[in-house]
Amino acid sequence: FFKKKTLINLGMAYCLDAEHDSALQQFKKAQEFDSDGNFVKQCIDYTEILMKAFQLKAEGDCHFAKGEIEKAKECYTEAFAVDPTLLQSKINRAACHLAMENAVFCIEDCDAVLGCLSYERNRKKLHHDMDNADGASILAAVLSPKPRTRRTWIVTLLCRRAAAKKFLRDSPGALDDLLDAESIIRSSDDIDKHMLAKDIAVLKEELRIA
């Protein structure tokens, strides 16, 4: 049991670093010590799904960097369809919608991911209970974003949703999102606080004049 658990933990550690090939090697070794084969097989199956989703996301990132926004959006959509736990694909798709001036769709994606991130806070406890959960659920829980990453994602989404709301001439709603973003940032976060404060000041001035 100790050997199997060690190999599973190594596989999960590799998944955290997105080294999916190495993760698969560890899970396949662990499979030799798995009497019923179900738990480790679930880890293997989910890792293979992750590999495909990450590849699609990477392709989307390349397209986005080249300004090929429609192609990027398609890749992110496919990545999310392959693995709905890969929230980065939907976060990035929201950026595509914003770049294409599809503000309503941008807001929908931002709302969806913000809801998922709220749920993530209650899911992480699963990885402490390996005996009573399936491999895929535990691996997904282990891979859920750490607090600092989670805050960065939330701030990004709130700012992105604010930009979409401003495009729709909902300046009060945009200001609310920016203020919410400002309220959760910590001093240690790698976020441009000065730019956020500037955007808030501009919106406040616009609303004061209006």
Side-chain angles (χ1 to χ4, degrees), residues 123-137:
R123 194 181 67 173
K124 291 186 70 174
K125 62 183 181 181
L126 279 173
H127 80 275
H128 295 299
D129 193 12
M130 187 175 291
D131 294 329
N132 298 314
D134 64 87
S137 295

Side-chain angles (χ1 to χ4, degrees), residues 181-201:
E182 185 180 50
S183 71
I184 66 172
I185 296 175
R186 296 184 182 177
S187 58
S188 59
D189 291 339
D190 185 20
I191 296 172
D192 192 341
K193 307 170 189 66
H194 298 296
M195 180 61 70
L196 179 57
K198 182 179 178 181
D199 290 342
I200 289 172

